[in-house]
Amino acid sequence: SSEVLEAIENVVLNVLTSLGNQKAPVLTVANRSDWRNIEFKDSVGLQMIPCCTIKKIRSDCSTSAPKFALMLKILSMIYKMVQSNTYATKRDIYYTDTLLFGSQTVVDNIINDISCMLRIPRRSLHILSTSKGSVAGNLSYTEEDGTKVNCTCSATVCIINSNNLISHAKFILIVEKDATFQRLLDDDFCNKLTPCIMITGRGVPDLNTRLLVRKLWDTFQIPIFTLMDADPHGVEIMCIYKYGSVSMSFEAHHLTVPSIKWLGLLPSDLNRLNICKDALIPFTKQDQKKLASIQKRPYVTRQPMLKRELEIMAASKMKAEIQVLTSLSSDYLSRVYLPNKLQFGGWI
């Protein structure tokens, strides 16, 4: 708490010093969307370099002055929350003055910029985010208020503040889509093969889901596999869990798990399983653009098997959802595909 308060006080002191010197105050923030600010490390994933390009939020410029004011506004809110040991969600902050902020996206971006500027993880700023992710399977824990939670009984949202995690799981399976997650729960997949933990971020994972994956890895050190669609969007999501994202690269050490394996659905699986071409979906221009972008990323050049799978996808210009396996049989995913993959290998 004292570190957060001191960091905010330093920002305000710089603003006051500038005003005292009759200069327009400026806030300096790392450019989180610039790939030139990112380096790839096998042990971490995508992380922001120390000497990165910056953007200046000026108070005397008509285009940036509104953002300057909003950053000070949210900094003052954070300061009060840390002092009083209270918390608020990003949604709560937006609704304190919807006319002032304009949109939830504006608030979200400013909070990330503040976290990056102060070099303090967002969760330490007393700002919470609601989670869209779910976790189920062989996992139990005790919440701070003493409530015992057993994820074996039902799916639980991916907000776990407790460090008292208990599990006998042999692996963790991250599932891209909620529909597939629910189907595997209906098939009792978490218990049929061997005890496991299943997680879904319902598409692109939010911060809480990524934090949970990292916490489970740090706690149990068991294999983590991903089950994604065989398309550029699925590959992107897998890479976020494994290597991180550009916009959150300043928090990479808390969010990424480079040891994550891509279990499926692999582009090479489509040929191996003789999936009918009529069941595949042609690429859109957006798909081609996304795949080309992924193929240029630094971690692809260091992963020959990943590179090969992307080349297969690019050559076919076809994509497939996990549900394509139902063309073989209704329960092929849980009865055949996943057990064979987990027993005999075939992941990246």
Side-chain angles (χ1 to χ4, degrees), residues 106-240:
V106 169
V107 173
D108 294 352
N109 286 333
I110 287 177
I111 289 170
N112 285 337
D113 277 340
I114 287 174
S115 177
C116 184
M117 179 178 69
L118 300 181
R119 298 187 180 278
I120 293 173
R122 195 173 75 191
R123 59 195 172 282
S124 298
L125 301 178
H126 284 227
I127 296 175
L128 308 173
S129 56
T130 53
S131 180
K132 62 175 183 173
S134 297
V135 57
N138 194 284
L139 176 68
S140 60
Y141 60 95
T142 304
E143 292 183 343
E144 291 176 337
D145 62 359
T147 305
K148 295 184 181 298
V149 180
N150 189 346
C151 300
T152 309
C153 304
S154 61
T156 306
V157 293
C158 289
I159 303 179
I160 297 177
N161 295 321
S162 171
N163 289 318
N164 184 25
L165 304 177
I166 301 171
S167 177
H168 302 291
K170 301 300 181 185
F171 66 91
I172 298 166
L173 181 66
I174 301 172
V175 183
E176 176 184 351
K177 291 180 176 176
D178 185 50
T180 307
F181 178 82
Q182 295 297 335
R183 177 58 195 266
L184 290 172
L185 284 181
D186 292 342
D187 291 346
D188 196 27
F189 178 76
C190 292
N191 300 305
K192 269 187 178 177
L193 187 64
T194 187
C196 75
I197 299 169
M198 283 203 315
I199 294 171
T200 180
R202 291 184 170 87
V204 178
D206 59 6
L207 186 67
N208 288 320
T209 305
R210 293 175 63 189
L211 283 169
L212 175 60
V213 171
R214 178 57 192 253
K215 177 178 279 193
L216 292 175
W217 166 249
D218 288 339
T219 305
F220 301 116
Q221 298 282 304
I222 54 178
I224 304 179
F225 301 101
T226 58
L227 181 64
M228 307 284 154
D229 288 340
D231 64 12
H233 189 65
V235 175
E236 176 82 282
I237 292 171
M238 182 272 295
C239 290
I240 289 173

Side-chain angles (χ1 to χ4, degrees), residues 273 329 331-342:
L273 298 173
S329 72
D331 60 349
Y332 191 86
L333 175 64
S334 60
R335 182 176 58 85
V336 181
Y337 182 82
L338 289 176
N340 284 347
K341 281 263 184 170
L342 291 164

Side-chain angles (χ1 to χ4, degrees), residues 248-273:
M248 295 295 290
S249 59
F250 62 95
E251 272 205 67
H253 288 80
H254 308 289
L255 297 173
T256 61
V257 184
S259 61
I260 284 176
K261 309 297 183 186
W262 184 15
L263 185 69
L265 185 62
L266 303 180
S268 59
D269 289 338
L270 303 178
N271 292 327
R272 183 176 60 83
L273 298 173

Side-chain angles (χ1 to χ4, degrees), residues 15-33:
V15 170
L16 294 175
T17 301
S18 296
L19 290 172
N21 294 330
Q22 296 185 334
K23 294 180 180 178
V26 175
L27 298 177
T28 304
V29 181
N31 194 336
R32 295 185 294 111
S33 61

Side-chain angles (χ1 to χ4, degrees), residues 280-348:
L280 304 180
I281 306 167
F283 263 22
T284 63
K285 287 185 177 179
Q286 188 176 3
D287 290 327
Q288 292 179 357
K289 186 177 179 181
K290 169 66 75 176
L291 181 57
S293 169
I294 295 172
Q295 287 178 299
K296 294 176 184 176
R297 293 181 188 174
Y299 45 73
V300 173
T301 59
R302 297 197 192 184
Q303 300 283 336
M305 293 177 68
L306 172 58
K307 184 179 179 182
R308 177 59 183 153
E309 291 294 332
L310 298 184
E311 287 171 349
I312 293 172
M313 190 186 295
S316 70
K317 293 184 179 178
M318 302 292 281
K319 58 184 179 179
E321 297 181 334
I322 299 167
Q323 286 81 355
V324 76
L325 296 176
T326 58
S327 64
L328 301 175
S329 72
S330 60
D331 60 349
Y332 191 86
L333 175 64
S334 60
R335 182 176 58 85
V336 181
Y337 182 82
L338 289 176
N340 284 347
K341 281 263 184 170
L342 291 164
Q343 185 175 356
F344 301 112
W347 56 74
I348 294 175

